Amino acid sequence: DELERSFEREFDYKQEAENLRFFCKSLIPFKDQVKVPKPIFATNRMLVMEYLSGIKLLDGIREYGAKIAKEQGRTLDELEAEIKERILKEGMPAKYDGPSEWKVSTYLKVMRFYDGIRNFGVGMLNFLGKPFMKEEIAYYKTILPPNAPRIMDVLMKVHGYQLCKLGRFQADPHAGNFLLLDDGRIGLIDMGAVKELTRGERLAASLLYASLARQDKKMLLDMVRVSGYKSKYFDEDVIWDLCRFGFDTFGRDLLKGKNIQTFMDDLYRRDPWYESATNLTMAQFLSIRLRAVGIAMNFPVECHAWWGEDAEKALNEAGLPYEVW
């Protein structure tokens, strides 16, 4: 029901304009990292907003993937199929362990500088040889990878702030809803599917991520117990794994070599559930969507690693620190 209501909100363009105005003001602490387009005009059928110059993150990922596939003598579809098969067989690591943001950023700067040097020579040849050339020599533009460590760090921090501090968040953050802007920032677009939590829901989400960050199984089980979740045995290990999967990680340390369907079937076999809480459905969807973006960028994440600190801060600011729950 909650997902259905979220889908319906996608077509309320006046509400989306209000969401844009809200996030333009509320995300000022991240103004150097992200940009939300300002709404200009909205009716029931149309929304006009500020133009942001850049490409979709999804397109940037696919463009670089196509380059890698071509270098290996195959198509992008073939490369993607191999990656999916490998993930199904081996699973994903719990968190990223590749080059740091600084290393990737340095590599990108070096390659752009190298292109600049080569293009200076190309420009000179085009200028001096113009009277004798039928067409100009093409300029170099190396297809570069998105800076996954930086992008995912910004996205996780911004959405953790939305969830724990604002209690109002973009509930469908897939790779097509982010832009890699020309000025280096990340554009946040499509604010139709925005979820606003009550104060109690916001604090519940904060308590959830604080308990995941602390690895406090007892606290999390107490939350599940009062939430209305019901299962045949109330198996604590099954519930802990369900919460980690639903709100935190797809890592192989959790799935233990199983694919997602087999993992869920096994949990249900061990302790069938027949009623679950729905008040944090969209917070769960937020987590799943962002983790999917991380997988697409080969940057798996554990949400608690970014959101645990924001969660603790939200509880403290509410006068209800973790220890009193």
Side-chain angles (χ1 to χ4, degrees):
D1 291 346
E2 182 62 45
L3 289 172
E4 185 176 334
R5 287 193 294 272
S6 175
F7 179 75
E8 291 171 354
R9 289 194 292 268
E10 288 265 14
F11 301 98
D12 186 342
Y13 296 120
K14 287 186 176 180
Q15 181 58 52
E16 182 170 357
E18 173 55 33
N19 293 336
L20 289 170
R21 280 189 285 270
F22 173 81
F23 287 115
C24 281
K25 294 178 181 178
S26 301
L27 295 181
I28 287 177
F30 300 94
K31 62 183 175 62
D32 293 332
Q33 290 85 40
V34 300
K35 169 72 174 175
V36 178
K38 296 176 183 176
I40 298 172
F41 179 73
T43 69
N44 292 331
R45 296 184 173 218
M46 179 177 65
L47 172 61
V48 180
M49 67 186 77
E50 176 185 7
Y51 175 74
L52 302 184
S53 181
I55 64 170
K56 286 186 177 182
L57 174 58
L58 178 62
D59 293 338
I61 295 171
R62 290 185 63 81
E63 182 183 35
Y64 185 68
K67 174 194 174 186
I68 297 299
K70 185 177 180 180
E71 290 174 351
Q72 297 176 358
R74 49 185 170 167
T75 67
L76 177 59
D77 288 342
E78 291 171 339
L79 177 61
E80 289 178 338
E82 180 189 301
I83 293 172
K84 289 177 183 177
E85 185 178 353
R86 186 167 66 244
I87 290 174
L88 286 174
K89 286 183 178 179
E90 303 174 7
M92 289 292 295
K95 52 189 176 181
Y96 175 75
D97 60 359
S100 67
E101 174 187 342
W102 181 85
K103 287 183 178 179
V104 176
S105 178
T106 300
Y107 166 75
L108 296 177
K109 289 176 181 176
V110 168
M111 292 307 298
R112 290 189 187 109
F113 180 71
Y114 180 53
D115 278 355
I117 292 176
R118 292 193 296 175
N119 285 332
F120 177 78
V122 171
M124 291 297 294
L125 287 173
N126 284 333
F127 177 74
L128 296 174
K130 189 173 183 179
F132 315 102
M133 298 164 59
K134 291 184 178 180
E135 58 182 34
E136 288 190 341
I137 301 172
Y139 286 88
Y140 291 96
K141 186 180 180 182
T142 303
I143 298 175
L144 299 172
N147 189 339
R150 174 185 172 274
I151 292 169
M152 287 307 299
D153 181 61
V154 170
L155 291 180
M156 293 302 293
K157 286 178 178 176
V158 168
H159 287 83
Y161 182 83
Q162 291 179 26
L163 176 66
C164 299
K165 173 71 174 178
L166 303 178
R168 189 169 173 180
F169 55 89
Q170 213 293 33
D172 191 20
H174 58 77
N177 282 344
F178 303 124
L179 299 180
L180 301 177
L181 301 182
D182 295 341
D183 64 9
R185 292 183 292 175
I186 300 171
L188 308 181
I189 60 173
D190 192 357
M191 293 295 181
V194 168
K195 172 65 176 177
E196 185 168 3
L197 302 177
T198 65
R199 178 177 182 273
E201 289 170 340
R202 178 175 66 86
L203 294 179
S206 297
L207 185 61
L208 171 72
Y209 279 104
S211 65
L212 285 168
R214 291 178 178 230
Q215 300 291 294
D216 187 347
K217 184 182 290 189
K218 181 180 182 304
M219 176 69 81
L220 191 141
L221 291 171
D222 287 343
M223 286 186 66
V224 170
R225 190 173 283 109
V226 301
S227 73
Y229 173 88
K230 292 182 176 63
S231 66
K232 187 172 183 178
Y233 307 113
F234 203 81
D235 186 298
E236 296 184 355
D237 291 331
V238 168
I239 293 169
W240 175 252
D241 285 351
L242 272 175
C243 289
R244 288 191 64 206
F245 177 79
F247 291 93
D248 194 36
T249 180
F250 294 138
R252 64 170 68 102
D253 64 318
L254 172 65
L255 300 184
K256 297 180 174 62
K258 302 169 187 172
N259 63 45
I260 290 175
Q261 187 61 56
T262 304
F263 172 76
M264 293 299 291
D265 288 346
D266 181 60
L267 292 182
Y268 188 79
R269 178 187 56 77
R270 289 162 55 193
D271 185 17
W273 54 86
Y274 52 90
E275 191 171 330
S276 59
T278 60
N279 59 329
L280 294 181
T281 297
M282 298 313 295
Q284 181 181 14
F285 196 60
L286 167 72
S287 164
I288 290 171
R289 279 299 212 181
L290 284 174
R291 281 181 276 157
V293 173
I295 289 173
M297 300 188 70
N298 196 29
F299 193 101
V301 297
E302 294 177 311
C303 294
H304 77 262
W306 275 269
W307 298 351
E309 184 176 341
D310 281 340
E312 297 267 4
K313 188 180 296 185
L315 296 174
N316 291 333
E317 289 176 351
L320 295 167
Y322 188 83
E323 290 72 22
V324 307
W325 290 81

